[in-house]
Amino acid sequence: MHSHAIEVKGLRKKFGTQVVLDGIDLTVPSGTVFALLGPNGAGKTTLINILSTLVAPGEGSVKVAGHDVVKESDEVKRSISLTGQFAAVDEMLTATENLRMICRLTGLTAAESRRRTDELLKRFDLTSAANKRVKTYSGGMRRRLDLAISLVASCPVLFLDEPTTGLDTISRRALWEIILELKHQGMTIFLTTQYLEEADELADRIAVIAGGRVVANGTAEELKSRVGGEVLELYGDGDEVLRAVPIDGSVQDVRRTLNELAPLYPQHTRVGIRKPSLDDVFVALTAKPGLTTLSKEAMFK
Ligand SMILES: Nc1ncnc2c1ncn2[C@@H]1O[C@H](COP(=O)(O)OP(=O)(O)OP(=O)(O)O)[C@@H](O)[C@H]1O
Ligand SMILES: [Mg+2]
């Protein structure tokens, strides 16, 4: 396997006159988990679709598993699995029927299809529901089936577009375990997510895209360290956060910050100090001006 599973250089993509990706550079080492974060409409699905050959890149070079997505799209297709943002299962069929159908479509014999289907049902904890129609499944079961379907052929690179959106905490954690297990088997996983906690938990590296560009790229720790040492928060009556300010954590900085803030808030406003979260980074990097109290200037002071 190529040492870089994914290499994107100078990628630009327009839909009509709308520039969606405006010069993206990314590399993902083989055998790692990479998380792409960004607000709605940032171009995450577009990037996944380009990487998985479903959408043509505009300008730039995009290689997956060492192959160019345009000139060698067949090789790329053979190297990847994809679970899209919206499920592609047949609701009227059972999990067994869905899986067997995909197995047959990928060229397995009937006997191989039965064996592979049973294996996947077991791995994704779907055996007991295997013969029920998918339309009766919960969101978590559907998502597990989606993932099972995308793993029918074992390919070195897996794309997951918002794999856990809409799942409860337990189902989400179960999927995280599966994703980490796949990584330990040597797979490269490129996922998009709306959940900072998910990126924090799973990803070796994280990129944030906003306004068509990569606005941050690094490990979760590197990104958090950009917010500074700690975050001082002021809370209102209903425990809502009135204000969040990055501070260096020193007594002097706490005093200076409180001196500035105290006159602006009611008498009994409470205060707390916590470690920065990936949320702080995300908000500071992607929020539109005026929507957030953590300003970009404060982030990079
Ligand atoms: N086929 C298309 N034709 C025209 N515009 C498109 C097309 N696909 C996406 N877009 C536009 O490109 C932008 C990025 O969309 P995309 O779906 O990639 O965002 P996203 O980051 O995946 O958003 P979400 O978090 O909501 O899934 C949006 O403004 C969208 O309307
Ligand atoms: Mg999307």
Side-chain angles (χ1 to χ4, degrees), residues 6 52 63 71 77 105 124 128 130 184 210 217 252 284 297:
I6 298 169
S52 51
K63 285 186 179 176
K71 291 184 217 122
K77 282 186 189 123
L105 287 175
F124 289 90
S128 60
H184 289 131
N217 186 346
Q252 290 80 355
E297 293 70 28

Side-chain angles (χ1 to χ4, degrees), residues 254-263:
V254 172
R255 182 158 64 193
R256 193 167 47 237
T257 307
L258 284 177
N259 281 343
E260 273 172 32
L261 294 177

Side-chain angles (χ1 to χ4, degrees), residues 212-274:
R213 293 172 179 271
V214 176
V215 293
N217 186 346
T219 64
E221 292 315 313
E222 281 165 2
L223 297 194
K224 285 179 205 169
S225 75
R226 291 175 70 165
V227 194
E230 321 265 341
V231 177
L232 183 146
E233 284 182 335
L234 297 183
Y235 308 104
D237 288 338
D239 274 346
E240 77 275 20
V241 178
L242 300 174
R243 186 80 181 249
V245 183
I247 54 169
D248 66 16
S250 69
V251 177
Q252 290 80 355
D253 201 17
V254 172
R255 182 158 64 193
R256 193 167 47 237
T257 307
L258 284 177
N259 281 343
E260 273 172 32
L261 294 177
L264 307 174
Y265 292 89
Q267 276 283 307
H268 297 290
T269 302
R270 283 172 305 108
V271 64
I273 291 174
R274 61 169 173 79

Side-chain angles (χ1 to χ4, degrees), residues 39-46 85-86 161-162 192 194:
N40 291 129
K44 302 181 295 295
T45 297
T46 302
Q85 185 168 6
F86 303 104
D161 197 0
E162 300 198 21
T192 70
Q194 303 275 351

Side-chain angles (χ1 to χ4, degrees), residues 13-16 18-21 36-49 55 85-86 161-162 192-194 209:
K13 176 70 186 175
K14 283 197 211 170
F15 286 115
Q18 183 194 4
V19 178
V20 176
L21 301 173
L36 185 67
L37 297 171
N40 291 129
K44 302 181 295 295
T45 297
T46 302
L47 180 55
I48 281 221
N49 286 345
V55 166
Q85 185 168 6
F86 303 104
D161 197 0
E162 300 198 21
T192 70
T193 180
Q194 303 275 351
I209 56 172

